[in-house]
């Protein structure tokens, strides 16, 4: 699947890594719900790390839509929480 | 993916399709998004210029503060050699404050530099995607039937649309950060205008509002250490490793002069 880290790049991710990413993503949501800022940063870092490590950067000349778009690497806890309350990083 | 990735994807995709839906046929979609792409590139250029302007301003403040640190240290030395520990302490408090500000400025300049580099990189990536989109557009027109072309074109347009949304987001974040730093830079200029880094030490130490604020802001331990260091250099008082209590270890002669 194709994953984008916002403000960074798009990557191609294999099935195993995709599953791992999905698992981390669920844990991130749980950390945000629990208001656990440290845990959020830790897990979000792990997600970014996984994509950068296991993913293959998409060629410059490839025009593909991403399957998943992650928030920017410098997303704050407040911004992450806003993602789930409808405010979001990207205003309408 | 239902989590944070899913949420972000949904929001961005909704925005892209809203943007692309404005045109009714594929040809128009192409023209419309191409025009949008060009506008966005112009905006990114402006964004980069904005970041550079803010960076230059911070660098100017850095230079001024560096000069102040040297000046204040010299003044503290002079004050101490004339037995005016009170003035020396004020100068060192101001120096300490200036140094703290300098550290924070260093970080801010580094941050802006990375924002600038990031934006330039995004701009180049965007250019290459636009080029790709242009080529693809011609190929699609030449090779496919109208119905197929429509599908192919919306795929390409979604891909380039996502890149556009991303460049837009990167720029927004860079500008927000720049804006915060500009507000800080303004505050620093005001502080400077109010005399926080004033080199006129004719002011009675600890008497005005700024000195009281500085006294609260600066680390007294660091000021004490700095004072002890100067004293040791001038051959007065205790050696630097022994921290001084405010004014108490002054020799009696100095206390008389001070009083």
């Amino acid at each position: 699947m194709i994953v984008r880290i916002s403000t960074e790049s798009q990557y191609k991710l294999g099935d195993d890594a995709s599953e791992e990413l999905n698992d981390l993503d669920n844990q991130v949501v749980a950390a945000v719900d629990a208001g656990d800022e440290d845990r959020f940063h830790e897990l979000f870092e792990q997600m970014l790390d996984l994509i950068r490590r296991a993913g293959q950067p998409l060629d410059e000349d490839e025009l593909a839509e991403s399957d998943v778009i992650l928030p920017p690497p410098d997303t704050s806890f407040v911004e992450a929480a806003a993602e789930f309350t409808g405010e979001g990083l990207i205003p309408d | 993916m239902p989590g944070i990735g899913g949420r972000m994807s949904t929001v961005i995709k909704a925005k892209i399709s809203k943007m692309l839906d404005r045109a009714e046929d594929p040809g128009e979609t192409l023209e419309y998004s191409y025009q949008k792409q060009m506008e966005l590139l112009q905006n990114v250029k402006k964004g980069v210029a904005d970041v550079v302007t803010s960076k230059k301003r911070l660098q100017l403040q850095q230079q001024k503060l560096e000069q102040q640190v040297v000046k204040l240290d010299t003044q503290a030395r002079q004050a101490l050699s004339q037995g005016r520990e009170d003035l020396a302490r004020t100068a060192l408090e101001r120096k300490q404050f200036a140094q703290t500000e300098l550290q924070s400025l260093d970080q801010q300049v580094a941050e802006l530099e990375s924002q600038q580099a990031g934006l330039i990189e995004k701009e180049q990536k965007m250019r290459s995607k636009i080029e790709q989109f242009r080529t693809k557009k011609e190929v699609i027109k030449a090779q496919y039937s109208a119905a197929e072309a429509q599908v192919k074109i919306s795929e390409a347009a979604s891909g380039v649309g996502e890149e556009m949304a991303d460049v837009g987001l990167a720029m927004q974040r860079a500008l927000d950060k720049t804006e915060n730093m500009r507000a800080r830079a303004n505050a620093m200029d005001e502080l400077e205008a109010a005399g926080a880094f004033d080199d006129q030490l004719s002011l009675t130490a600890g008497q005005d509002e700024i000195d009281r604020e500085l006294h609260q802001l600066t680390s007294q331990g660091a000021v004490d250490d700095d004072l002890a260091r100067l004293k040791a250099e001038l051959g007065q008082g205790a050696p630097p490793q022994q921290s001084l209590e405010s004014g108490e270890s002054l020799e009696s002669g100095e206390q008389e002069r001070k009083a």
Side-chain angles (χ1 to χ4, degrees):
Chain A
M1 97 179 158
I2 297 174
V3 179
R4 178 188 286 277
I5 299 177
S6 290
T7 73
E8 199 178 288
S9 283
Q10 281 174 298
Y11 299 83
K12 266 186 200 137
L13 219 58
D15 288 347
D16 287 354
S18 299
E19 236 170 80
E20 208 180 320
L21 188 70
N22 196 20
D23 186 42
L24 283 170
D25 196 24
N26 290 333
Q27 292 183 55
V28 165
V29 176
V32 172
D33 280 345
D36 191 340
E37 185 167 354
D38 290 343
R39 187 87 185 118
F40 159 75
H41 282 297
E42 193 186 308
L43 288 164
F44 190 51
E45 263 324 300
Q46 281 180 30
M47 280 179 101
L48 299 172
D49 208 49
L50 172 71
I51 297 166
R52 289 171 186 148
R53 193 164 33 82
Q56 171 98 28
L58 217 62
D59 287 339
E60 290 279 295
D61 58 1
E62 236 177 301
L63 285 177
E65 208 182 342
S66 306
D67 297 298
V68 171
I69 302 172
L70 284 193
D74 60 352
T75 298
S76 68
F77 183 68
V78 173
E79 287 173 321
E83 269 312 285
F84 298 102
T85 55
E87 290 290 313
L89 280 168
I90 303 161
D92 284 322
Chain B
M1 197 174 284
I4 193 158
R7 174 88 182 106
M8 187 88 183
S9 313
T10 312
V11 175
I12 289 186
K13 280 174 189 170
K15 282 195 92 69
I16 295 166
S17 81
K18 206 196 241 169
M19 179 182 87
L20 296 177
D21 279 351
R22 272 183 218 166
E24 277 179 10
D25 72 71
E28 263 186 63
T29 308
L30 289 179
E31 286 317 314
Y32 177 73
S33 35
Y34 192 67
Q35 188 192 325
K36 276 283 176 199
Q37 289 160 25
M38 288 305 160
E39 278 173 28
L40 188 57
L41 276 184
Q42 285 307 312
N43 279 336
V44 173
K45 268 192 187 317
K46 271 186 228 153
V48 171
D50 218 17
V51 172
V52 171
T53 308
S54 295
K55 193 178 80 183
K56 283 190 178 147
R57 185 168 170 205
L58 290 182
Q59 282 170 332
L60 209 68
Q61 285 191 336
Q62 258 178 329
Q63 284 170 12
K64 273 197 216 163
L65 278 176
E66 274 160 12
Q67 288 165 3
Q68 284 298 328
V69 166
V70 173
K71 200 180 256 177
L72 287 165
D73 194 68
T74 309
Q75 286 175 331
R77 193 181 300 264
Q78 284 167 353
L80 205 55
S81 66
Q82 287 162 25
R84 291 294 306 271
E85 184 171 331
D86 54 339
L87 284 185
R89 184 172 283 279
T90 304
L92 291 179
E93 275 170 359
R94 289 177 179 193
K95 179 186 150 193
Q96 195 67 35
F97 182 67
Q99 274 174 329
T100 311
E101 282 302 319
L102 255 180
Q103 276 170 9
S104 133
L105 275 180
D106 286 345
Q107 280 168 12
Q108 290 178 58
V109 168
E111 168 73 31
L112 284 185
E113 249 153 26
S114 105
Q115 293 290 336
Q116 187 188 341
L119 275 187
I120 289 170
E121 199 188 308
K122 287 298 284 183
E123 190 200 344
Q124 278 159 359
K125 201 176 267 183
M126 177 89 204
R127 270 188 197 286
S128 117
K129 297 256 178 195
I130 287 176
E131 221 28 70
Q132 199 54 32
F133 187 70
R134 264 167 71 142
T135 316
K136 213 162 195 162
K137 173 169 116 173
E138 296 315 312
V139 171
I140 289 170
K141 273 184 186 163
Q143 288 188 346
Y144 293 93
S145 70
E148 281 173 320
Q150 188 148 11
V151 174
K152 293 274 167 198
I153 283 165
S154 33
E155 275 171 19
S158 297
V160 86
E162 195 184 299
E163 195 63 37
M164 287 163 69
D166 204 45
V167 174
L169 180 63
M171 194 170 66
Q172 190 52 53
R173 288 179 85 74
L175 291 182
D176 284 351
K177 282 191 177 142
T178 307
E179 188 50 49
N180 286 344
M181 288 180 196
R182 193 175 302 148
R184 239 188 103 83
N186 284 342
M188 279 278 290
D189 281 347
E190 276 169 30
L191 213 52
E192 197 189 350
F197 307 114
D198 209 337
D199 52 359
Q200 303 299 315
L201 280 177
S202 52
L203 286 167
T204 313
Q207 288 294 302
D208 65 354
E209 191 58 33
I210 288 160
D211 279 318
R212 265 196 298 280
E213 280 179 29
L214 283 179
H215 194 75
Q216 281 171 353
L217 283 170
T218 53
S219 149
Q220 287 308 302
V223 172
D224 287 342
D225 290 348
D226 214 5
L227 197 59
R229 173 188 62 83
L230 277 188
K231 279 183 172 179
E233 277 176 29
L234 292 167
Q236 301 177 356
Q241 58 264 46
Q242 197 181 324
S243 194
L244 296 174
E245 284 304 313
S246 168
E248 277 176 14
S249 60
L250 276 179
E251 275 140 43
S252 56
E254 278 182 85
Q255 265 173 339
E256 274 162 32
R257 256 173 290 167
K258 196 180 155 198

